[in-house]
Amino acid sequence: MSTYQKTVIVTGASSGVGLNAAKSLADRGWHVIMACRNLEKTNQAATELNIPTENYSVIKLDLASLTSVKKFVDDFRATGKRLDSLVCNAAVYLPIVKEPMRSEDGYELSVATNHLGHFLLCNLMLEDLMKSTSSDKRLVILGTVTANPKELGGKIPIPAPPDLGNLEGMEAGFKEPITMINGKKFKPGKAYKDSKLCNVLTMRELHRRYHQSTGIVFSSLYPGCVADTPLFRNHYPLFQKIFPLFQKNITKGYVSQALAGERVAKVVADEGYQESGAYYSWGNRQQPNRKSFVQEVSNEALDEGKAKKLWDLSSKLVGLNQPVATS
């Protein structure tokens, strides 16, 4: 009698934390859908990391394109697989651009990719998660220490702390000339932090709306400072050289891509991570045996009114008009 193989989707699985999370989950026996823009690069990375071919598939997904997100959902459903977990990992970080880059839909690229693309994906795939026969369905969204001033790494206000304001930019349509969620002057590093704050607000609103009726566990995590991740590929070359050394030798906060990927896999698959609405952290340290804990999130991330407003405005921006049915 064959054992049911669980299926998980991991966005941004062609490199870094996402790739290593895919490896850890495949090694646990899961089938991993690696959702990425570059199929050839993803297949090559999976081969180099020795992910068993029977335990992964690659489906094209460009989170900066709402059309691509919808096509990805159709392509996944065409496989006939049931979905047991969704991991929203992919992110772009553009800290040194002078002028805002925009998605094909006209939105600032960091927010379009990190928040709006994932927001649409989560909403569309709730239906698939609800159809799973598993008693343990999970939706995991990665966070970052830089978006949480209650953590040491989030206390440094460079270039600026996250601040969504009253979502004035989104309310005004979030297109040219608007570049920031709060409607103020463009700051590329802050745009990234804002988008990651949106990820946590989205997770908490998903929990509030759907956990009780669906049983899906919604959570976030910060797996530690992966200082050499490809996330920093758009930073100054000198920063890319110095930052890992600083984290390894001064702060001792460096976490390898492999360990970070293993931590993501734990939140997806292991017992002890079934608290819906939780944000897990390991205290930003390298020790493989360090225990996780539920991290307190920022006051802004706890703002239920802002979470509801963000949900409504994001739904409008991505073209979602109808709420997901849960019965």
Side-chain angles (χ1 to χ4, degrees), residues 172-188:
F174 202 53
K175 291 187 177 180
E176 189 73 41
I178 301 163
T179 58
M180 302 294 287
I181 291 173
N182 63 4
K184 295 185 178 179
K185 182 181 177 182
F186 178 61
K187 295 180 180 178

Side-chain angles (χ1 to χ4, degrees), residues 29-312:
W30 285 61
H31 187 89
V32 184
I33 306 291
M34 302 173 76
C36 305
R37 288 179 297 174
N38 189 322
L39 306 188
E40 184 179 353
K41 175 187 174 184
T42 307
N43 278 305
Q44 183 178 344
T47 300
E48 291 173 354
L49 211 56
N50 296 314
I51 300 179
T53 54
E54 67 274 14
N55 282 3
Y56 81 90
S57 307
V58 182
I59 301 178
K60 185 176 178 63
L61 171 64
D62 180 358
L63 286 159
S65 163
L66 300 177
T67 299
S68 177
V69 173
K70 294 171 187 173
K71 185 175 188 308
F72 170 83
V73 173
D74 290 340
D75 290 344
F76 168 75
R77 289 173 179 167
T79 69
K81 290 186 176 295
R82 288 178 290 184
L83 182 65
D84 303 290
S85 185
L86 169 62
V87 181
C88 297
N89 159 78
V92 297
Y93 177 44
L94 306 163
I96 60 175
V97 296
K98 302 299 183 186
E99 298 294 329
M101 299 173 66
R102 294 193 180 271
S103 71
E104 68 176 37
D105 303 289
Y107 306 132
E108 190 279 321
L109 192 60
S110 300
V111 175
T113 304
N114 305 348
H115 168 57
L116 292 173
H118 276 135
F119 179 84
L120 178 59
L121 183 67
C122 289
N123 273 274
L124 295 178
M125 306 234 72
L126 276 176
E127 179 183 332
D128 300 84
L129 284 169
M130 286 188 284
K131 288 179 180 177
S132 168
T133 55
S134 172
S135 60
D136 186 9
K137 304 178 281 283
R138 305 185 198 180
L139 193 160
V140 179
I141 306 178
L142 268 73
T144 175
V145 69
T146 61
N148 185 7
K150 289 185 180 177
E151 296 183 74
L152 181 61
K155 294 183 187 298
I156 303 170
I158 301 172
D163 174 18
L164 306 182
N166 199 30
L167 308 171
E168 294 90 344
M170 279 193 163
E171 207 156 23
F174 202 53
K175 291 187 177 180
E176 189 73 41
I178 301 163
T179 58
M180 302 294 287
I181 291 173
N182 63 4
K184 295 185 178 179
K185 182 181 177 182
F186 178 61
K187 295 180 180 178
K190 181 179 180 297
Y192 169 78
K193 292 182 183 180
D194 287 351
S195 72
K196 298 305 290 180
L197 173 57
C198 288
N199 287 159
V200 180
L201 283 162
T202 297
M203 179 275 289
R204 292 181 58 79
E205 186 65 5
L206 281 163
H207 163 73
R208 189 189 70 82
R209 288 173 181 249
Y210 298 118
H211 171 63
Q212 191 169 4
S213 59
T214 66
I216 299 169
V217 171
F218 302 97
S219 61
S220 292
L221 77 148
Y222 173 58
C225 184
V226 192
D228 54 3
T229 174
L231 179 67
F232 298 114
R233 63 184 174 270
N234 296 305
H235 216 306
Y236 293 110
L238 184 60
F239 175 90
Q240 295 179 49
K241 290 181 180 178
I242 292 176
F243 189 53
L245 296 173
F246 178 75
Q247 291 294 340
K248 288 177 182 178
N249 301 313
I250 306 300
T251 69
K252 308 294 185 183
Y254 171 81
V255 172
S256 69
Q257 295 179 32
L259 180 55
E262 173 61 20
R263 287 173 174 176
V264 174
K266 284 178 180 289
V267 177
V268 173
D270 290 6
E271 290 185 9
Y273 295 93
Q274 288 119 322
E275 181 181 343
S276 190
Y279 184 102
Y280 296 100
S281 179
W282 279 259
N284 193 23
R285 288 295 180 266
Q286 168 69 9
Q287 297 93 318
N289 296 321
R290 190 178 181 91
K291 292 186 183 297
S292 62
F293 60 92
V294 176
Q295 170 71 50
E296 185 181 10
V297 297
S298 71
N299 292 339
E300 196 169 8
L302 291 169
D303 188 333
E304 285 194 8
K306 186 165 288 188
K308 293 174 186 176
K309 186 173 182 179
L310 175 67
W311 183 280
D312 291 341

